[in-house]
Amino acid sequence: MTQRIVIIGGGAAGIDVLEFLLREQTERKKAEITLIKREHEGFFSSCGLPFALQGRYELNELVLFKPEFYRAKGVDFRTGTEVTGITVPGKYVRLATGEELPYDDLVIATGGRPVIPPIPGTTLEGVFTLWSREDGERLKAVLDAECAKNAVVIGGGMIGLQAAVAFARNGLKTTVVEQCPSLLPAILDADVASVVQNWLPNEVTFRLGRAVRALEGAGHVASVRVNEEAIAADLVLIAAGMRPAVDLARTAGLALGACGGIKVNHALRVKRVGSYLNNVYALGDCIEVIDAVTKRSRLSQLASTALIQARVVTSNLLGGTATYGGCLSPTVASIGGLQVGSVGVTTAYARSCGMNVKAGIAIKYTKARFFPTRKLIVAKLLFDASTERLIGAQLISEEGIAERINELTLAIKAGATALELIMRERCFEPSLTMVEDVIVDAAMKAHKRATTP
Amino acid sequence: MTQRIVIIGGGAAGIDVLEFLLREQTERKKAEITLIKREHEGFFSSCGLPFALQGRYELNELVLFKPEFYRAKGVDFRTGTEVTGITVPGKYVRLATGEELPYDDLVIATGGRPVIPPIPGTTLEGVFTLWSREDGERLKAVLDAECAKNAVVIGGGMIGLQAAVAFARNGLKTTVVEQCPSLLPAILDADVASVVQNWLPNEVTFRLGRAVRALEGAGHVASVRVNEEAIAADLVLIAAGMRPAVDLARTAGLALGACGGIKVNHALRVKRVGSYLNNVYALGDCIEVIDAVTKRSRLSQLASTALIQARVVTSNLLGGTATYGGCLSPTVASIGGLQVGSVGVTTAYARSCGMNVKAGIAIKYTKARFFPTRKLIVAKLLFDASTERLIGAQLISEEGIAERINELTLAIKAGATALELIMRERCFEPSLTMVEDVIVDAAMKAHKRATTP
C-alpha cells in the first residue's frame, strides 16, 4: 500500500517537510503526498517582507515557488483550501468543501497568527499586521501612495523595528511603542538593547514601558492613545508577536501546552487522550518546544526552528527514529544595517527560572585596529554562575553577527565554559578579524568576576 | 625574592606573553620582566604587511606599540639586542654585549626566519622576503619608484598570493611559481584551490608543479629560471615559508622535533638531557605542536596559535597548571577580496597519516537567493570515513569565512559528526543568511555518500 501523507499548512514548516520528503524518499517507495494551504502561493518567504517594504526588492521576489513546481513533482498541492476538522480515530481530515481526505500520516503545520491586543480600534482602516503576502501588498500600497505622514508601530521586537526602519526610510515620522522598558525584550538584555535604540534613525522615536490603550479615529485611524498621550498616526502596524494557530488541533482533542502551543514529544508526535499518536506530527510556529537551558516549555516561532523540526518529522515519516532535543533558538536580524543576534537565555528569563547568571560584556572592533574598514562590535555573554558554562549570548555590529551566533549556539550545546572560550583557537588575519575576538574579551570579563575578590 | 622572567623575542609570541603577564600579575606579587629583541620596534604587526603593500594604509600604522609603552609599565624592554647564548644550568642568558642576564624563568619566543631555497642567485639585488618591517619598507620603496615591470613570487601560500595581488595592483605583471601542483597546498585541497586561482586578477599568472632552478642576472635580478623557461623579473619575492629559529635552543642543548621546531610538553616547557625543565618555556613559530586530528608533530606558525600558547605560558609562569592541547590551526586570509579559510587537515595530509576521508563539497549563497547583495560561497568538509566526525574544513567567499571557520574549529574539537552538523540549529534572516547554510549542504553531501549504495 502506498503511504498517504497529508500536510496541513504551507508556511515554512509545511513546505520544509514537503521538500525533505521529495528529497529523501526513494523511487522504490514513494508516498502519496497532499499539502493543503489556505494561501494561494506555492511558497512565500514572509521573513523577507520588511526588506521589500524598505525597497530592497519587489514583493513578488518572495514567491519562491509556485504551486505548479510541486504539482510537477507529483504532489497534490492544494491552495486556497481550508481544513475544517481532523478526525484522529478515523484518520482523515475534512475540508471546507465537505471532502474527507484520508491519511496514513498527518503533519500539522498550521503556524501562527498575529496577536491583536484587546483594545478598541484595531479594525480601523490604516491598521495593519505584517504576516502574509496580502499584508505586505496592502502596506506597500500605502507607502507607495505617499499619503501617510505618521506611523506608529505597536511592538518593539524584530519585525516591529525592521518595519519602523522601512517607514522611516519612506519618509514617515515613526513611533515605536513597547510595553517592556527596553526594545527586543525577548532576546536582549536592556543594556544591549539600548545600543540598538541609539543606532536607529532619528525619524524613529520610542515610547517604552508603556501600553497602547486604544486606536482612535473615525473610520480611518488618526491617533494612538498611549497612557495619557495621543500620538498622531495615519498608519499603525501591530507587531505584537504571534500566537500558535491551534484551533484545529484543539478541536481534534490534541493536548496543548502552557504557552498555548501544541504539545509534542521528542519525535514531534502529538498527544491525545493521554498518549502520543504514532502517525500525527506537529511542528513550527504552532507547537511548544523545550528550552535547552532552562528545560521549560516555550515557543520558538522561527523559520530556522521549523527547518530542523522538519528534518526530524521527515525522518520519522519515512520510518526513522529522529528526535528533536532542547531548543536554543539562535536568532539574528538586520535592523537598519545593524545586525542584532541572540541565542539561549536572556538574564531576565534565566533569573525567572531561578538561575544565577554571571555576565561579561565587551566592545571591540571586527578587524585589526589599524584596518580602515573595521566596525565596532558589542558582545554580552551569559554564564551559569556556578558552572561558568555559557547559557546565552547577545551580539551587535554592522558585520559578522550571524556566524558568531552560530558558533556560540554550538558552544552552548557543547557545554563550553568561559575559560574554554578564552583558550580556544580562533583564526586571525588583520583585514578580517582581531587576534583576540570580542567573544574572548566578554568571556574574560565574566571569568575575572569569578576569580577576583 | 622577586621572580625574574626573561623573554627572548619580541614578535607576536613574546609580546603576547609580556602583555598577559602585565594583565595578570597582581600588585602584591610583581615579577621583574625583561624582554630582549633584535628589532627596534616595540611591537610590529607583520601580518599586516601585505595590505600595506596593497596601499590600504601606511607601513608605520603597523607599529602598534613603541618600546616606551612597555618601559612605562616597568618592563626592561631591550630592543636592538642580540642574545648569543642560554646557559640552562646557570640560569642566565648571554647578550652580544657580553652581559649575562640571570633569570628564574625563561621564555623562548625566537620565531621563524624565511626559508631561502638552496638555488643560485638569491642574493641578487631585487630579491626580497616579506617578514620584517625592513622587508616591507624595501619592497614598498621599489613599488613606489614604479620602475619594476615584472614580478615573480616564489611560493603560492597565503603571503605569496597576498603579495602577488599587491604587485598586480601596483601594475606589475606577476607570476607565482609553486612547487606543488595547486595553490595553498598546506591548507586547501586542489579542487578548492582552483577556485582561488580563477578568482585572482588577470595580471597574475601561474607556474604550478614546477620548481625554481635559479635566479639570474648581473648584480640585479633579471629573470627566474623555472624548468627550461626563463621568466623575466625585476622583482622577486621569496615566500616559501618559515623555518623555526632554533639556533639558540640547539646550542643550549634543548631537544628539537622532527619538523625542526623546539620540542615542548603540554605545559609548553622545553626538554633537555631527557627531561622537561620546569622553568624554561617556548612558544610560537619556533616550536612544534601536536596536530589535534592526526596526533602527529607539525609546525603551526600563526599569530593566533602563539596567542593561545601565550595564555598557557603566562598561566604557568604565574604558578598555574595550564596545558596546551592538540592544535587545529584555523586560518583565514583575504586574497584580493576573496576570503579563504581552512581548519584541521587537508585530504592529502589526512591520507598521508593513514586516515580514510569522506568529503562533501557545496556551493551556495551567503544570503537568501532573493537578496540582492548575496555572494557565492564554497565549502568543503572532510570527515573521518569510519566515524563521520569532522576533521577538516575549507571555505571560500567574499564574506563570512573567518566566523564559519571559528564555528567549525569548535565543531571539530567537540567531535561533531556530519549528521550533527545537519541537525544543528542555526540562525536565519534573509538579508544575512540562507536558511540552510552551505556548511549544512556540504555535510549532507558527505553523509549521503555514506548511506546510499
Side-chain angles (χ1 to χ4, degrees):
Chain A
M1 276 276 293
T2 306
Q3 182 186 11
R4 293 165 304 180
I5 300 173
V6 171
I7 302 168
I8 307 176
I15 293 291
D16 285 345
V17 172
L18 176 61
E19 295 253 11
F20 293 156
L21 278 173
L22 293 173
R23 270 194 216 172
E24 299 289 328
Q25 65 181 357
T26 55
E27 271 306 317
R28 199 165 49 78
K29 199 186 163 199
K30 263 198 171 172
E32 221 170 71
I33 310 171
T34 305
L35 186 144
I36 307 165
K37 66 185 293 185
R38 191 189 286 126
E39 303 84 8
H40 294 271
E41 310 90 18
F43 178 56
F44 179 79
S45 169
S46 52
C47 307
L49 278 170
F51 301 100
L53 295 185
Q54 288 176 18
R56 301 296 298 266
Y57 41 73
E58 294 300 315
L59 264 170
N60 60 21
E61 295 277 331
L62 299 177
V63 180
L64 299 185
F65 293 103
K66 297 194 168 159
E68 292 70 35
F69 174 81
Y70 298 110
R71 288 174 191 148
K73 290 171 184 279
V75 178
D76 182 6
F77 196 93
R78 306 200 188 183
T79 56
T81 304
E82 183 94 31
V83 176
T84 54
I86 302 168
T87 302
V88 169
K91 295 192 187 179
Y92 64 87
V93 301
R94 183 178 291 111
L95 306 185
T97 57
E99 186 184 351
E100 289 178 353
L101 211 64
Y103 65 78
D104 296 310
D105 294 281
L106 179 67
V107 177
I108 301 172
T110 44
R113 299 289 176 276
V115 169
I116 307 295
I119 52 171
T122 56
T123 58
L124 287 170
E125 269 179 64
V127 179
F128 300 88
T129 56
L130 187 55
W131 170 64
S132 67
R133 178 181 180 175
E134 289 71 26
D135 286 343
E137 282 167 352
R138 279 190 290 260
L139 257 173
K140 189 89 173 74
V142 170
L143 296 177
D144 288 350
E146 297 183 8
C147 301
K149 297 274 175 289
N150 297 293
V152 168
V153 176
I154 300 174
M158 291 284 192
I159 302 295
L161 294 183
Q162 288 183 325
V165 169
F167 296 159
R169 291 205 175 151
N170 278 275
L172 279 77
K173 198 173 158 304
T174 302
T175 307
V176 174
V177 186
E178 165 60 50
Q179 268 186 297
C180 293
S182 61
L183 294 176
L184 296 159
I187 60 165
L188 296 186
D189 289 358
D191 50 358
V192 181
S194 69
V195 180
V196 180
Q197 188 175 340
N198 290 330
W199 167 273
L200 285 162
N202 286 333
E203 294 77 14
V204 182
T205 53
F206 300 93
R207 297 291 182 279
L208 302 182
R210 275 174 263 185
V212 174
R213 304 293 174 199
L215 310 184
E216 299 170 331
H220 197 285
V221 69
S223 67
V224 174
R225 185 153 297 273
V226 177
N227 291 359
E228 295 313 299
E229 185 186 11
I231 306 171
D234 36 19
L235 189 169
V236 171
L237 177 70
I238 299 176
M242 304 276 280
R243 57 173 178 79
V246 295
D247 293 350
L248 273 178
R250 185 190 287 116
T251 313
L254 305 186
L256 303 183
C259 306
I262 300 171
K263 220 180 163 73
V264 291
N265 66 7
H266 278 351
L268 298 180
R269 294 189 170 105
V270 303
K271 193 175 188 179
R272 188 169 180 276
V273 207
S275 58
Y276 287 96
L277 304 174
N278 63 12
N279 70 329
V280 184
Y281 301 83
L283 79 162
D285 293 359
C286 62
I287 71 164
E288 294 193 8
V289 299
I290 301 296
D291 187 281
V293 173
T294 67
K295 316 298 180 201
R296 303 199 182 186
S297 278
R298 63 173 174 81
L299 304 175
S300 181
Q301 298 175 311
L302 301 167
S304 47
T305 299
L307 183 86
I308 305 297
Q309 292 171 345
R311 293 195 205 284
V312 172
V313 168
T314 304
S315 171
N316 292 339
L317 281 171
L318 299 178
T321 54
T323 58
Y324 185 76
C327 190
L328 288 170
S329 301
T331 179
V332 68
S334 169
I335 300 174
L338 190 69
Q339 301 178 8
V340 179
S342 173
V343 59
V345 295
T346 60
T347 300
Y349 176 51
R351 288 197 177 136
S352 76
C353 297
M355 300 182 79
N356 283 325
V357 176
K358 180 187 297 179
I361 189 163
I363 179 163
K364 292 197 88 166
Y365 292 117
T366 54
K367 309 169 201 256
R369 61 195 126 154
F370 55 79
F371 213 83
T373 56
R374 68 188 184 275
K375 307 283 182 193
L376 287 171
I377 182 165
V378 176
K380 183 171 187 178
L381 300 185
L382 307 182
F383 298 89
D384 179 303
S386 55
T387 62
E388 259 196 35
R389 285 189 198 279
L390 186 68
I391 55 172
Q394 301 164 27
L395 280 96
I396 302 180
S397 180
E398 290 171 76
E399 59 187 13
I401 295 304
E403 300 87 350
R404 280 185 180 80
I405 289 294
N406 287 331
E407 178 198 340
L408 292 168
T409 304
L410 176 57
I412 297 177
K413 282 267 184 201
T417 63
L419 188 59
E420 283 165 3
L421 289 182
I422 296 165
M423 297 301 285
R424 185 143 42 79
E425 293 179 87
R426 306 181 70 83
C427 59
F428 167 64
E429 202 262 47
S431 77
L432 302 171
T433 67
M434 293 195 86
V435 70
E436 282 193 292
D437 194 77
V438 69
I439 289 174
V440 176
D441 272 37
M444 285 196 291
K445 294 223 176 141
H447 188 59
K448 283 277 180 204
R449 202 161 295 177
T451 50
T452 50
Chain B
M1 275 279 292
T2 306
Q3 182 186 13
R4 293 165 303 179
I5 300 173
V6 170
I7 302 168
I8 306 177
I15 293 290
D16 285 345
V17 171
L18 176 60
E19 296 252 11
F20 293 156
L21 278 173
L22 293 174
R23 272 194 214 170
E24 299 289 328
Q25 65 181 359
T26 55
E27 272 305 318
R28 200 166 48 81
K29 200 187 163 196
K30 266 198 168 171
E32 220 170 72
I33 309 171
T34 304
L35 187 144
I36 307 164
K37 66 185 293 186
R38 190 188 287 127
E39 303 83 8
H40 293 271
E41 310 91 18
F43 178 55
F44 179 79
S45 169
S46 51
C47 307
L49 277 170
F51 302 100
L53 295 185
Q54 288 175 18
R56 301 296 299 268
Y57 41 74
E58 294 301 314
L59 264 171
N60 59 22
E61 294 279 328
L62 299 177
V63 180
L64 300 185
F65 292 103
K66 297 193 168 160
E68 293 70 35
F69 174 81
Y70 298 109
R71 288 175 191 148
K73 290 171 185 279
V75 177
D76 181 6
F77 196 94
R78 306 200 187 182
T79 57
T81 304
E82 185 93 32
V83 176
T84 54
I86 302 169
T87 303
V88 168
K91 293 193 189 178
Y92 63 88
V93 300
R94 183 177 295 111
L95 306 185
T97 56
E99 186 183 352
E100 288 178 357
L101 210 63
Y103 63 79
D104 297 309
D105 294 281
L106 178 68
V107 177
I108 301 172
T110 43
R113 298 291 175 275
V115 170
I116 306 296
I119 53 172
T122 56
T123 57
L124 287 171
E125 267 179 66
V127 179
F128 300 88
T129 56
L130 186 54
W131 170 64
S132 67
R133 179 181 180 175
E134 289 70 28
D135 286 342
E137 281 166 354
R138 280 190 290 259
L139 259 172
K140 191 86 174 70
V142 171
L143 296 178
D144 289 349
E146 296 183 8
C147 300
K149 298 275 175 288
N150 298 293
V152 168
V153 176
I154 300 174
M158 291 285 192
I159 301 295
L161 294 183
Q162 288 182 325
V165 169
F167 296 160
R169 292 206 173 149
N170 278 277
L172 278 77
K173 197 172 159 305
T174 303
T175 306
V176 175
V177 186
E178 166 60 49
Q179 266 187 299
C180 293
S182 61
L183 295 176
L184 295 159
I187 60 164
L188 296 186
D189 288 358
D191 50 358
V192 181
S194 70
V195 179
V196 180
Q197 188 175 340
N198 291 329
W199 166 274
L200 284 161
N202 287 333
E203 294 77 13
V204 182
T205 53
F206 300 93
R207 297 292 182 281
L208 302 182
R210 275 175 263 183
V212 174
R213 304 293 175 202
L215 309 185
E216 299 169 329
H220 197 283
V221 69
S223 66
V224 175
R225 184 151 299 274
V226 177
N227 293 357
E228 296 312 298
E229 184 186 14
I231 306 171
D234 35 21
L235 191 168
V236 171
L237 177 69
I238 298 176
M242 303 276 281
R243 58 171 177 77
V246 296
D247 293 348
L248 272 179
R250 185 190 288 116
T251 313
L254 306 186
L256 303 182
C259 306
I262 300 172
K263 219 181 168 73
V264 292
N265 66 5
H266 279 351
L268 299 179
R269 294 189 170 106
V270 304
K271 194 175 188 178
R272 188 168 180 275
V273 207
S275 57
Y276 288 95
L277 304 174
N278 64 10
N279 69 329
V280 183
Y281 302 84
L283 79 162
D285 293 359
C286 63
I287 71 163
E288 294 193 9
V289 299
I290 302 295
D291 187 281
V293 173
T294 67
K295 315 299 180 201
R296 302 198 182 187
S297 277
R298 63 173 174 79
L299 304 176
S300 181
Q301 296 174 313
L302 301 168
S304 47
T305 299
L307 183 86
I308 305 298
Q309 293 171 344
R311 293 195 205 287
V312 172
V313 168
T314 305
S315 172
N316 292 340
L317 281 171
L318 300 179
T321 55
T323 58
Y324 186 76
C327 189
L328 288 171
S329 303
T331 177
V332 68
S334 169
I335 300 174
L338 190 69
Q339 302 177 7
V340 179
S342 172
V343 60
V345 296
T346 60
T347 300
Y349 177 51
R351 288 197 177 135
S352 76
C353 297
M355 300 183 78
N356 283 325
V357 176
K358 181 188 294 181
I361 187 162
I363 179 163
K364 291 197 89 165
Y365 291 117
T366 52
K367 309 169 201 258
R369 60 194 127 157
F370 55 80
F371 213 85
T373 56
R374 68 187 183 275
K375 306 284 182 192
L376 287 171
I377 181 165
V378 176
K380 183 170 187 178
L381 300 185
L382 307 181
F383 299 89
D384 180 302
S386 55
T387 62
E388 259 196 37
R389 286 188 197 280
L390 186 68
I391 56 173
Q394 301 165 27
L395 280 95
I396 301 180
S397 179
E398 289 171 75
E399 58 187 12
I401 295 303
E403 300 87 350
R404 280 185 180 79
I405 289 294
N406 287 331
E407 178 197 341
L408 292 167
T409 304
L410 177 55
I412 297 177
K413 281 266 184 200
T417 64
L419 188 60
E420 283 165 3
L421 289 182
I422 297 166
M423 298 301 284
R424 185 143 42 81
E425 293 179 88
R426 305 181 71 83
C427 59
F428 167 62
E429 203 263 48
S431 76
L432 301 172
T433 67
M434 293 195 87
V435 69
E436 282 193 290
D437 194 78
V438 69
I439 290 174
V440 176
D441 272 38
M444 286 197 290
K445 294 223 175 138
H447 188 58
K448 284 275 180 208
R449 201 160 294 177
T451 52
T452 51

